[in-house]
Structure formats: C-alpha cells, structure tokens
Amino acid sequence: MSRRSDKNNMVGSSDTIREVNELSVKIGLSPEIIIQALESAIKAVAHQKYGDKSKIVVNIDRNTGEITSYRKLGVIEDESSKGDSTTIKLTQAKLIKKDAQVGDTIQEKLSLGTDLASARIAQQKIAQIIKDEESKKQYEEFKDKVGEVRYGIVKQVEYSDLIIDINGTRAYLPIRNLIGGESFREGDKVKAYIQAVKRSEDGRQIILSRTHEGFLEALLHQEVPEIADGLVVIKGIARDAGSRSKIAVFSPDRNIDPVGACVGIKGDRIKTIIHELNGEKIDVITYSLDLGQFVIKAITPAEVSKVIIDEDEKCIELIVAEDQLSLAIGKKGQNVRLASELIGWKIEILSTQQESERRSKELTQCSALFAEALNLEEIMGQLLVTEGFSSVEDIYNASIKELASIEGFNEDIANELHNRANKYLKEENEKKIDELKNLGMEDDVVNLPLSIDDKIALSKHGIKTLEDVADLSSYEFCSMLSSSAINKENLKNTVDSIIMEARKKLGVI
C-alpha cells in the first residue's frame, strides 16, 4: 500500500482505502477487519522497536486512509533512575512539547522506518490476522451445517487427507473417511457428508466423510421424497462402509410401503445410492415394534426357524437351519454384527443341530441337578426341564398353581416340590454364609440386606468389614454387585442406606 508522511505523522492516502476495499472483495472479509489488521501490524512493528510494554496507539482514518501513530510516554525527572519504554525524561519531553511537566503524558510520533525486518513483521501480522478472521468466518458459516451433504472439488491430495474446495471454502476429507477402494485426483468432483465443524488452530475446521452413517441417511433424504417429506421415517442404520448396510424404515401411513418407497421402481432410487457408495450392498427392512419380527427382518437374507429373547440380558438367540447358518452369520460375522447394531441387542446364531445338542446337554445337567438337590426321580427332573425350569430357584419362585398345572403333577406334588426347593436353597445359603465367614467377612456385612450372590461379590472385591463398607461410594458399591442386582431400580437407594448406616455405626457421621 502507498505511503506518505508529513509533520503530523500522518501517512497513507485514499489509495489505502481503495486497496483495502479491493482486498476485502478478493478474500471475502469486511474492510473494517482488514483495516484493524493493518493497525495491529503497525503496532507489532512498533512493539518490536520500542518494547512490549510501550503504549502504542495507531489509527487509520476510515475515510481518508491517513494513518496516525504514536506512543504515550509519562514524563519523569531527569535525575530519575526508574525510566523504561513507557517514560521520557523531562528535558527530552520538552523537545516534543515545550510546556511539558513531570507527571504529564505526552505523545511521541512513531518512527518505524522501512527496513526489511519491519516489513516482515507487518506482513506476518497482517497475514495471521486475516487467516484468523477467515477461519472465524468459515466456522460461523458452517457450524450449523453438520449433517449436510455438499459437492466439492479436490484441490490437493495429501498423505492423510484430501483437501476439498466447497465454493471457496477449504474442507478436509481424511483418507480414513473414504469408502474402501475409492481414489480421487486433483480436480475430481466429490460428494461428502459434513461430519464435524470445529474451531482449530491448524485450520482443519471442516471435516468431511463418506463412511459415516449420516452420509447414507442424507443420501436417502435426497433420493426418497417420502423420507424428505416425513412420510417414511428412518428408524435405524447400521453400516459397514463400502461393503454392506442395513436400514430400518417405517411409515405411519398404512398406504405407504416404506421399503418400496426407498427402493423405488425397478430399484432406481436405491441403485443411485449404491452407485454413489461405490457398490455398497444395502438391505432395506421394515421396522417393527415386535422385537421378534424386527430381528427376523434384520438378519436378512437368512431365514430364521426360532427366536429366543432374553430381556434381562438384552440378548436374542436365532435358531436357523444348517444351510442358513453361514448366511445368517455373514462373511467375518458381518451380517449378524450389523443386525445387532441395528436393533441394539446382542444376537447369537445357532443351527438347529447346535440347539438340539445344547438342549440335550441342558436336559441332562438340569434333570441331574433336580434329582440330586430335590431327591427326585430322573424322569420327573426331565419333565421339569421340558417345562422351562432350569434351576432350583425357578421352582421355588413358581406358584403352586403353576407347578400343579404340569401334566402328571397335582397340588400335593407342587407343595412338596416347593418345600424341598425352599429347604435346599436355605441349606445352600447357609453353606455360602459359612464360607464367607471363614474368609473373614464380619457378621455386620454378612447380615446386610443383599442377596447372597451380592455378598459373595463384595467378598471377591475385599469388602469384609463395616469399615470397608463405610469407605465406599455409591458408585463403587454398585459396580461390585452382580449384574442382576444392578438392574434393580431401587438399588442405589438401598446402597446409599447401607453406606449411611455403616457410617453411623462407626460414628463417622
């Protein structure tokens, strides 16, 4: 930018404003930001020459472009030894202002020169400020666009990233966010999902992805009008980018086939998406509130013979024919893994033969347990197993009516079974309690209002005395207990009460 100087230390001209305006249009920043950058650059040069503590004032007239710069100095006595870059001795001050007095503040015109070092400092400062402002503007423009899909041009291919130009904005597409087998060159057009927008000192603020589940969801919104209009809802997506995806869709309108809407006539809609995703296979299934039906659809293309749901463990067993086993599991377990991710439950796959062998083993083990624990004939134990009883606890917790309803049983047999189960469990608990005491657990802990399994769990974690209990936090206590106990809604209240009572007994509170 052009410069001139006069006796009032005012430099610059209307050319300064013209050049500022031209630069403003070129880089897309307001003239005010650029002028402030120039002022900061001049200050940086001044501080380099006069010291960081110097009180520098720089002002560029927004109309004329004239630059005024000076530093403020406090006037001190000539004999003073306390001078620094913010002060000036009286004799020198009078050369600037004839009537200067000790204690006054005077303004000294800046003489910054035009040496190469000063020019570099100014250039670096301006460049840094403009870069920071561009970064701030970019962040503000894109921070609310996470989740959108944009087209861009590959400007540069680096070792770890593709640098993408999105209408003049620099974005980054990490190589790890490319679908397997994809390769782009400079100048290629690429469609990508805005995964994250963050403030970053290195300028890597806009991160793109083609592997994110959101990319597939965004493509569905673009290609399927029923989804864009809310007539079809995406209930879940599980994706193995570049290989296979599963999508669960639902429509509140019974007249709309959600799967058909996504696939399109002759598959035209889904084919467009598959092409964009480099041939990725896509299974579109109908979402169902019936978990059994949902998981059967989720494991497609395999056919399921039986579904066994364990709600306590959030686990589902799928029994399939021998010729469906590998199909259900998929290559490297991909099919069952994606189905599990889609429904949010653990899925285990068994063949009909494997289930038969397991059932046979369970029948033998459980019937033997019942025969020994309850002094039953083996045939009666097998009958209980076939009715779904797998432990003595199951028999004890069953109602007399439920037991009596088993074929060949009556109320007398049911009562006797219940009494024998009760006696067995009491004896087992007493054995476990004796074992805990032998391991050093105090009576105060043995008598806590917890199940015997929870007390055993505490013992395994070294909790054997009242002091041990009092030192625990609620979180620590709960984390030690069995998984079944952790699922109880009132567990935390019980644990809090136990800890407080232990502290009271010890006089801690």
Coordinates of all heavy atoms in Angstrom, one line a residue, residues 157-163 172-184 192-193 195-196 198 202 204-213 215 239-242 280:
V157 N -4.2 -33.5 -2.9 CA -4.2 -34.8 -2.3 C -3.0 -34.9 -1.4 O -1.9 -34.9 -1.9 CB -4.2 -35.9 -3.3 CG1 -4.2 -37.3 -2.7 CG2 -5.5 -35.8 -4.3
E158 N -3.2 -35.0 -0.1 CA -2.1 -35.2 0.8 C -2.0 -36.6 1.3 O -2.8 -37.5 0.9 CB -2.3 -34.2 2.0 CG -2.3 -32.8 1.7 CD -2.4 -31.9 2.9 OE1 -2.8 -32.4 4.0 OE2 -2.1 -30.7 2.8
Y159 N -1.0 -36.9 2.1 CA -0.8 -38.3 2.6 C -2.0 -38.8 3.4 O -2.4 -39.9 3.3 CB 0.5 -38.3 3.5 CG 0.7 -39.7 4.1 CD1 1.1 -40.7 3.4 CD2 0.4 -39.8 5.5 CE1 1.4 -42.0 4.0 CE2 0.6 -41.1 6.1 CZ 1.1 -42.1 5.3 OH 1.3 -43.4 5.9
S160 N -2.6 -37.9 4.3 CA -3.6 -38.3 5.1 C -5.0 -37.7 4.8 O -6.0 -38.1 5.4 CB -3.3 -38.0 6.6 OG -3.1 -36.6 6.7
D161 N -5.0 -36.7 3.9 CA -6.3 -36.0 3.7 C -6.4 -35.7 2.2 O -5.4 -35.5 1.5 CB -6.3 -34.7 4.4 CG -6.3 -34.9 5.9 OD1 -7.1 -35.6 6.4 OD2 -5.4 -34.2 6.6
L162 N -7.7 -35.5 1.8 CA -8.0 -34.8 0.6 C -8.4 -33.4 1.0 O -9.3 -33.2 1.9 CB -9.1 -35.5 -0.2 CG -8.9 -36.9 -0.7 CD1 -10.2 -37.4 -1.4 CD2 -7.7 -37.0 -1.5
I163 N -7.9 -32.4 0.3 CA -8.3 -31.0 0.6 C -9.4 -30.7 -0.4 O -9.1 -30.7 -1.6 CB -7.2 -30.0 0.6 CG1 -6.1 -30.4 1.7 CG2 -7.7 -28.6 0.8 CD1 -4.9 -29.5 1.7
Y172 N -11.7 -30.7 4.7 CA -10.8 -31.8 4.7 C -11.5 -33.1 4.8 O -12.4 -33.3 5.6 CB -9.9 -31.7 6.0 CG -8.9 -30.5 5.9 CD1 -9.3 -29.3 6.3 CD2 -7.6 -30.7 5.5 CE1 -8.5 -28.2 6.2 CE2 -6.7 -29.6 5.4 CZ -7.2 -28.4 5.8 OH -6.3 -27.3 5.7
L173 N -11.2 -34.0 3.9 CA -11.7 -35.3 3.8 C -10.6 -36.3 4.1 O -9.8 -36.7 3.2 CB -12.3 -35.6 2.4 CG -12.9 -37.0 2.1 CD1 -13.9 -37.4 3.2 CD2 -13.5 -37.0 0.7
P174 N -10.5 -36.8 5.3 CA -9.4 -37.7 5.7 C -9.5 -39.0 4.9 O -10.6 -39.5 4.5 CB -9.7 -38.0 7.2 CG -10.5 -36.8 7.7 CD -11.3 -36.4 6.5
I175 N -8.4 -39.6 4.5 CA -8.3 -40.8 3.8 C -9.1 -41.9 4.4 O -9.8 -42.7 3.8 CB -6.8 -41.2 3.5 CG1 -6.1 -40.1 2.8 CG2 -6.8 -42.6 2.8 CD1 -6.6 -39.9 1.4
R176 N -9.1 -41.9 5.8 CA -9.8 -43.0 6.5 C -11.3 -42.8 6.4 O -12.0 -43.8 6.7 CB -9.4 -42.9 8.0 CG -9.9 -41.7 8.7 CD -9.5 -41.7 10.2 NE -10.0 -40.5 10.9 CZ -9.4 -39.3 11.0 NH1 -8.2 -39.2 10.3 NH2 -9.9 -38.3 11.6
N177 N -11.8 -41.7 5.9 CA -13.2 -41.4 5.7 C -13.6 -41.7 4.3 O -14.8 -41.3 3.9 CB -13.6 -40.0 6.2 CG -13.6 -39.8 7.7 OD1 -13.4 -40.8 8.4 ND2 -13.7 -38.6 8.2
L178 N -12.8 -42.3 3.5 CA -13.1 -42.7 2.2 C -13.6 -44.1 2.2 O -13.1 -45.0 3.0 CB -11.9 -42.5 1.2 CG -11.5 -41.1 0.9 CD1 -10.2 -41.2 0.0 CD2 -12.6 -40.4 0.2
I179 N -14.6 -44.4 1.3 CA -15.0 -45.8 1.2 C -13.9 -46.6 0.5 O -13.2 -46.2 -0.3 CB -16.3 -45.8 0.3 CG1 -17.4 -45.0 1.0 CG2 -16.7 -47.3 0.0 CD1 -18.6 -44.8 0.1
G180 N -13.8 -47.9 1.0 CA -12.7 -48.7 0.6 C -12.7 -48.8 -0.9 O -13.7 -49.1 -1.6
G181 N -11.5 -48.7 -1.5 CA -11.3 -48.8 -2.9 C -11.4 -47.5 -3.7 O -11.2 -47.4 -4.9
E182 N -11.9 -46.4 -3.0 CA -12.1 -45.1 -3.6 C -10.7 -44.4 -3.8 O -9.8 -44.5 -3.0 CB -13.0 -44.2 -2.8 CG -14.4 -44.6 -2.9 CD -15.3 -43.6 -2.2 OE1 -14.9 -43.0 -1.2 OE2 -16.4 -43.4 -2.7
S183 N -10.6 -43.7 -4.9 CA -9.4 -42.9 -5.2 C -9.8 -41.7 -5.9 O -10.6 -41.7 -6.9 CB -8.4 -43.7 -6.0 OG -7.3 -43.0 -6.3
F184 N -9.3 -40.5 -5.5 CA -9.6 -39.2 -6.1 C -8.3 -38.5 -6.5 O -7.3 -38.6 -5.9 CB -10.5 -38.3 -5.2 CG -11.8 -38.9 -4.9 CD1 -12.1 -39.6 -3.8 CD2 -12.9 -38.6 -5.8 CE1 -13.4 -40.1 -3.5 CE2 -14.2 -39.1 -5.5 CZ -14.4 -39.9 -4.4
A192 N -19.7 -35.3 -0.3 CA -19.3 -35.8 1.0 C -20.2 -35.2 2.1 O -21.0 -34.2 1.9 CB -17.9 -35.4 1.3
Y193 N -20.2 -35.8 3.2 CA -21.0 -35.5 4.4 C -20.2 -34.6 5.4 O -19.1 -34.9 5.7 CB -21.4 -36.8 5.1 CG -22.2 -36.7 6.3 CD1 -23.6 -36.5 6.4 CD2 -21.5 -36.9 7.6 CE1 -24.3 -36.4 7.6 CE2 -22.2 -36.9 8.8 CZ -23.6 -36.7 8.8 OH -24.3 -36.6 9.9
Q195 N -19.2 -34.0 8.6 CA -19.2 -34.8 9.8 C -19.0 -33.9 11.1 O -19.6 -34.1 12.1 CB -18.1 -35.8 9.8 CG -18.0 -36.7 11.0 CD -16.9 -37.8 10.9 OE1 -16.6 -38.2 9.8 NE2 -16.4 -38.2 12.0
A196 N -18.1 -32.9 11.0 CA -17.8 -32.1 12.1 C -17.3 -30.7 11.7 O -16.7 -30.6 10.6 CB -16.7 -32.7 13.0
K198 N -15.4 -27.5 13.7 CA -14.8 -27.2 15.0 C -13.8 -26.1 14.8 O -13.2 -25.9 13.7 CB -14.1 -28.4 15.6 CG -13.0 -29.0 14.7 CD -12.5 -30.3 15.3 CE -11.4 -30.9 14.3 NZ -10.9 -32.1 14.8
D202 N -5.0 -25.1 13.5 CA -4.3 -25.5 12.2 C -5.2 -25.4 11.0 O -4.8 -25.7 9.9 CB -3.8 -27.0 12.3 CG -5.0 -28.0 12.5 OD1 -6.1 -27.6 12.4 OD2 -4.7 -29.2 12.6
R204 N -7.9 -26.9 10.2 CA -8.7 -28.0 9.8 C -10.0 -28.0 10.6 O -10.2 -28.8 11.5 CB -7.9 -29.3 10.2 CG -6.6 -29.4 9.4 CD -5.7 -30.5 10.0 NE -6.3 -31.8 10.1 CZ -6.3 -32.7 9.1 NH1 -5.6 -32.4 8.0 NH2 -6.9 -33.8 9.2
Q205 N -10.9 -27.2 10.1 CA -12.1 -26.9 10.8 C -13.3 -27.7 10.3 O -14.1 -28.2 11.1 CB -12.5 -25.4 10.7 CG -11.5 -24.5 11.4 CD -12.1 -23.1 11.6 OE1 -12.0 -22.6 12.7 NE2 -12.6 -22.5 10.6
I206 N -13.4 -28.0 9.0 CA -14.5 -28.7 8.4 C -14.0 -30.1 8.0 O -13.1 -30.2 7.1 CB -15.0 -27.9 7.2 CG1 -15.5 -26.5 7.6 CG2 -16.2 -28.7 6.6 CD1 -15.9 -25.7 6.4
I207 N -14.5 -31.1 8.7 CA -14.1 -32.5 8.4 C -15.3 -33.2 7.7 O -16.4 -33.2 8.1 CB -13.8 -33.2 9.7 CG1 -12.8 -32.4 10.6 CG2 -13.4 -34.6 9.4 CD1 -11.5 -32.2 9.8
L208 N -14.9 -33.8 6.6 CA -15.9 -34.5 5.7 C -15.8 -36.0 5.9 O -14.8 -36.5 6.3 CB -15.7 -34.1 4.3 CG -15.7 -32.6 4.0 CD1 -15.4 -32.3 2.5 CD2 -17.0 -31.9 4.3
S209 N -16.8 -36.7 5.4 CA -16.8 -38.2 5.5 C -17.7 -38.7 4.4 O -18.7 -38.1 4.1 CB -17.2 -38.6 6.9 OG -17.3 -40.1 6.9
R210 N -17.3 -39.9 3.9 CA -18.1 -40.7 3.0 C -18.5 -42.0 3.7 O -19.2 -42.8 3.1 CB -17.5 -40.9 1.7 CG -17.5 -39.6 0.8 CD -16.7 -39.8 -0.5 NE -17.2 -40.9 -1.3 CZ -18.2 -40.9 -2.1 NH1 -19.0 -39.8 -2.2 NH2 -18.6 -41.9 -2.8
T211 N -17.9 -42.3 4.8 CA -18.2 -43.6 5.5 C -19.1 -43.4 6.7 O -19.6 -44.4 7.2 CB -16.8 -44.1 6.1 OG1 -16.3 -43.2 7.0 CG2 -15.8 -44.4 5.0
H212 N -19.4 -42.2 7.1 CA -20.3 -42.0 8.2 C -21.8 -42.5 7.9 O -22.2 -42.4 6.8 CB -20.4 -40.5 8.6 CG -20.9 -40.2 9.9 ND1 -22.3 -40.1 10.2 CD2 -20.3 -39.9 11.1 CE1 -22.5 -39.8 11.4 NE2 -21.3 -39.7 12.0
E213 N -22.5 -43.0 8.9 CA -23.8 -43.5 8.7 C -24.7 -42.3 8.3 O -25.7 -42.5 7.5 CB -24.4 -44.0 10.0 CG -23.8 -45.4 10.4 CD -24.3 -45.9 11.8 OE1 -25.1 -45.2 12.4 OE2 -23.8 -46.9 12.2
F215 N -24.0 -40.0 6.2 CA -23.9 -39.8 4.7 C -25.0 -40.7 4.0 O -25.7 -40.1 3.1 CB -22.5 -40.2 4.3 CG -22.3 -40.0 2.8 CD1 -22.7 -38.8 2.2 CD2 -21.6 -40.9 2.0 CE1 -22.4 -38.5 0.9 CE2 -21.3 -40.6 0.7 CZ -21.8 -39.4 0.1
R239 N -24.0 -49.6 9.4 CA -23.2 -49.5 8.2 C -21.8 -50.0 8.3 O -21.1 -49.7 9.3 CB -23.2 -48.0 7.7 CG -22.6 -47.9 6.3 CD -22.6 -46.4 5.9 NE -22.0 -46.3 4.6 CZ -21.4 -45.3 4.1 NH1 -21.3 -44.2 4.8 NH2 -20.9 -45.3 2.9
D240 N -21.4 -50.8 7.3 CA -20.0 -51.2 7.2 C -19.6 -50.6 5.8 O -19.8 -51.2 4.7 CB -19.9 -52.7 7.1 CG -18.5 -53.2 7.3 OD1 -17.6 -52.4 7.2 OD2 -18.3 -54.5 7.5
A241 N -19.1 -49.4 5.8 CA -18.9 -48.6 4.6 C -18.2 -49.3 3.5 O -17.1 -49.9 3.7 CB -18.2 -47.3 5.0
G242 N -18.8 -49.3 2.3 CA -18.2 -49.9 1.2 C -18.5 -51.3 1.0 O -18.2 -51.9 0.0
E280 N -21.8 -50.4 -2.5 CA -22.1 -50.9 -1.2 C -23.5 -51.6 -1.2 O -24.5 -51.0 -1.7 CB -22.1 -49.8 -0.2 CG -22.4 -50.1 1.3 CD -22.2 -48.9 2.1 OE1 -21.2 -48.2 2.0 OE2 -23.0 -48.7 3.0

